Amino acid sequence: MSLEPVAALEALLFATPEPLPPERLAELLPTLSGEEISAALASLKARYASPASGLMLDEVAGGVRLATRPEAAESLARLAIVRPSRLSRPALETLAIIAYRQPITKAEVEAIRGVNIDGVLRTLGERGLIRILGRKREPGRPMLYGTSRAFLEYFGFQDLSELPTLREIEALVAPSQASRPAEHAPREEPERAAPTADSAAGPAAAVPAGSGSDPVPEESG
Amino acid sequence: MSLEPVAALEALLFATPEPLPPERLAELLPTLSGEEISAALASLKARYASPASGLMLDEVAGGVRLATRPEAAESLARLAIVRPSRLSRPALETLAIIAYRQPITKAEVEAIRGVNIDGVLRTLGERGLIRILGRKREPGRPMLYGTSRAFLEYFGFQDLSELPTLREIEALVAPSQASRPAEHAPREEPERAAPTADSAAGPAAAVPAGSGSDPVPEESG
Amino acid sequence: MVYQVRLEQFEGPLDLLLHLIRIHEVDIADIPIARITEEYFRVLTEMQDLDLAVAGEFLVMAATLVYIKSKMLLPAAEGEEATIEEEDPRRPLVQALLEYQRFKTAAGDLAGFEERRRRIFGRVAPLEEAPARGPLELSLFDLLAAFQDVLKRAARRPDVEVTPRPFRVRERMVELLERLARERPLGFLGLFPADADRRTVIVTFIALLELLRQGVVRVRQASPFGEILIYPLEEA
């Protein structure tokens, strides 16, 4: 007995913890056409949109997976699921530079941050958020770093073009402006912004960073 | 915003791999009464009974969990073929030794690792990561192994001299404390330290113990 | 203005400078360098008073500030022939600050995304998986970490040698074996083209010696003063 396409898709997504890209879905569901798969995805998405659903279709890192809805987070709190600790500020800064400027060498990152990043690089490597892309053709042949697919999953991006464009900081250029928009204010306070920071609402606004200064290399997986 | 009880229950079951007995469900959903939980379970069960669902409520061992429906087995059978796979720890170690000591015989690798590596060698060979370079003049004329072109290409290196040097390795990764256990072993996660903790402080600061093998900092990992 | 700053709350000298620029409400495009330098030193001094080690990067920046300040005091274009446009000595610093600020903001964005993602839970991978045949997913960091562990274990057993062979030599050994698989025997002199540099010659020679030592290849000389020929083990 065979299931409806949408059911087969759901079972597949349930059984696979990592996001499945469209090609994989097609391989895994060889009896379905591309359109049928798209239709099944749309139908699952619609079904999960109901307030009776605890699940959602999580579109991330070029693929799709099942995940719990953010609203369910409180209900899951008692599960005490172990997760990696939040990234430190230095790690985030380093990661941001690598993400926007990849491929980039350690020395180049250090030039931007103004500090040594050995320890931070190690952490990022061990957490699988960055990867080594090769070596730069220059004296000393330093290693080149870039972000990994795990980076996309960790931050919930489909691909690098979803990174928000780098913003200039009007606040600093025009210091007297009293009413500067909060999210543009340089943060000095050590504490994190509220969990649901609006500035993070990004993807919609994501313009693929244009000009030569913000290369957005494709993930090669 | 809070979800309907049935949604909270669904999220809970989704995020928990082992069956949850009724007492545990009650503990995890303290805002719901026993009747509400029973009703939510019944409602989930009814929803999953639809042919459009790929999931089912699996009542086992005095508890309940989510599972794929038996009819989905065929769709899932292909997963093993298409799903990206990682090398096991023994395979990684063997590959590393071959990469850094090539050309090298099986016996020499075994002397270093202290165990038989027949199976691992086969895997690496099938994966196209290693190749036979020749034979050594020794009793038995053992084969000499080295890494393949594909191995280099995988990492984006032009030739073997681009592999990270011992010094670079030391800077990049710290040896794990113990020979690390299972990949998914839970780790202690200190909540995020003061945001500047590991900034310029360098190598000493930033290394979470033994997290190296967990390449995807998956939330629920 | 009385304020207290703690150096360790800054990610580095650029961060500290941005902080000073902001709290003093000065224009980043027109930094009053004397004043900011003074403030910068005050913070460093405070740090030292508190017996906190001041990282080298902070001192380098201090030197840069002093340098800029002195440049600005000099009369313009003295002795220089055709200085069409005297560069503002602050300019590189301002650019570095703006650049750093952009990424600091971006880091804040990432923190927001991180926070949102922490509310979402995927499924835990089954602990035991059937050996998969799918596309390989291999991280260089994992490979290196594995090698680190091997090295660490081997350190307790002096009888086995694990230290990597020098890369050039290893590479050349592999190369020689590859050539031998195609063409045998190899002429010794042919290994050293006339245009090869010294380093290449040495590396090739060491690689050959290593292969000989390991018994992977043999050399033969057909006649005294004849060419030396290199054979893979099977033959010869």
Side-chain angles (χ1 to χ4, degrees), chain B:
Chain B
M1 166 183 20
S2 92
L3 291 176
E4 289 183 15
V6 62
L9 177 70
E10 188 178 38
L12 203 55
L13 293 172
F14 178 84
T16 322
E18 72 275 11
L20 293 173
E23 321 83 73
R24 185 86 179 113
L25 281 178
E27 256 171 40
L28 291 168
L29 297 166
T31 59
L32 301 184
S33 69
E35 295 75 50
E36 283 171 314
I37 292 177
S38 303
L41 278 170
S43 139
L44 260 191
K45 198 165 175 174
R47 187 204 300 168
Y48 292 155
S50 144
S53 169
L55 307 182
M56 65 171 196
L57 217 50
D58 189 18
E59 287 156 282
V60 286
V64 61
R65 65 170 181 183
L66 287 195
T68 55
R69 293 167 64 152
E71 300 92 321
E74 307 157 39
S75 318
L76 300 181
R78 306 183 67 85
L79 265 182
I81 310 170
V82 174
R83 187 137 167 218
S85 62
R86 300 178 181 289
L87 292 178
S88 67
R89 190 75 194 173
L92 275 176
E93 287 190 6
T94 302
L95 184 59
I97 293 169
I98 292 175
Y100 282 91
R101 295 287 304 171
Q102 62 188 302
I104 189 170
T105 66
K106 180 168 94 74
E108 287 161 350
V109 178
E110 286 176 342
I112 294 171
R113 291 213 39 235
V115 293
N116 175 288
I117 59 162
D118 286 326
V120 172
L121 269 192
R122 198 174 323 123
T123 309
L124 294 175
E126 285 168 4
R127 286 292 189 183
L129 295 167
I130 59 171
R131 60 188 171 146
I132 293 159
L133 295 172
R135 287 180 183 273
K136 190 164 178 176
R137 183 180 41 174
E138 260 180 12
R141 298 199 160 195
M143 291 193 277
L144 285 163
Y145 295 91
T147 50
S148 65
R149 184 122 291 272
F151 168 85
L152 287 176
E153 279 165 7
Y154 191 90
F155 293 119
F157 291 126
Q158 298 283 327
D159 54 53
L160 285 175
S161 69
E162 293 201 340
L163 274 178
T165 63
L166 206 51
R167 270 189 55 205
E168 284 171 328
I169 294 176
E170 274 158 17
L172 281 172
V173 289
S176 60
Q177 274 30 16
S179 49
R180 72 194 81 218
E183 294 254 316
H184 292 277
R187 338 172 192 135
E188 292 310 315
E189 298 296 349
E191 251 327 280
R192 185 160 171 270
T196 53
D198 54 344
S199 69
V207 190
S211 52
S213 72
D214 197 352
V216 181
E218 174 60 287
E219 307 79 53
S220 51

Side-chain angles (χ1 to χ4, degrees), chain C residues 52-161:
Chain C
L52 292 165
V54 172
E57 295 109 358
F58 285 91
L59 300 176
V60 171
M61 177 58 73
T64 306
L65 289 172
V66 171
Y67 172 77
I68 295 173
K69 194 172 136 189
S70 69
K71 282 265 301 201
M72 295 193 65
L73 291 174
L74 287 178
E78 109 191 2
E80 309 230 337
E81 293 136 32
T83 316
I84 300 152
E85 195 177 292
E86 187 75 14
E87 166 112 70
D88 185 335
R90 296 171 299 183
R91 202 160 159 250
L93 178 62
V94 170
Q95 272 168 348
L97 284 170
L98 287 173
E99 174 92 330
Y100 173 65
Q101 176 62 50
R102 293 169 85 199
F103 288 109
K104 201 166 142 65
T105 310
D109 290 343
L110 286 184
F113 287 110
E114 180 187 44
E115 211 50 56
R116 278 201 326 171
R117 290 300 287 180
R118 290 179 78 80
R119 296 180 57 77
I120 297 168
F121 295 79
R123 249 170 63 79
V124 180
L127 279 181
E128 287 168 50
E129 291 185 43
R133 313 262 73 220
L136 179 67
E137 206 156 284
L138 178 56
S139 139
L140 186 55
F141 278 100
D142 288 350
L143 184 73
L144 299 181
F147 192 51
Q148 272 284 43
D149 285 352
V150 169
L151 289 173
K152 206 182 164 202
R153 283 205 306 271
R156 297 195 289 266
R157 297 161 52 213
D159 51 316
V160 292
E161 200 205 332

Side-chain angles (χ1 to χ4, degrees), chain A residues 61-78:
Chain A
V64 61
R65 63 166 195 168
L66 288 195
T68 59
R69 293 168 65 157
E71 299 91 329
E74 282 76 26
S75 312
L76 300 177
R78 283 164 190 270

Side-chain angles (χ1 to χ4, degrees), chain A residues 14-31:
Chain A
F14 179 83
T16 320
E18 70 271 13
L20 290 172
E23 320 84 72
R24 289 269 160 75
L25 284 179
E27 275 177 309
L28 287 165
L29 298 166
T31 58

Side-chain angles (χ1 to χ4, degrees), chain C residues 163-230:
Chain C
T163 353
R165 299 206 162 92
F167 289 90
R168 297 281 178 195
V169 173
R170 181 163 4 117
E171 195 190 353
R172 196 57 47 85
M173 288 167 75
V174 171
E175 223 175 84
L176 287 177
L177 287 173
E178 276 173 347
R179 282 179 64 177
L180 275 172
R182 289 193 306 264
E183 171 195 354
R184 58 183 66 170
L186 279 177
F188 179 77
L189 292 177
L191 298 183
F192 305 97
D195 59 344
D197 60 64
R198 211 174 114 83
R199 186 185 154 90
T200 307
V201 169
I202 292 171
V203 167
T204 304
F205 192 62
I206 294 175
L208 182 60
L209 288 181
E210 181 67 18
L211 288 173
L212 278 168
R213 191 184 66 78
Q214 284 194 35
V216 180
V217 301
R218 295 183 135 185
V219 293
R220 273 188 156 188
Q221 207 168 9
S223 60
F225 309 109
E227 183 170 26
I228 298 172
L229 298 174
I230 301 154

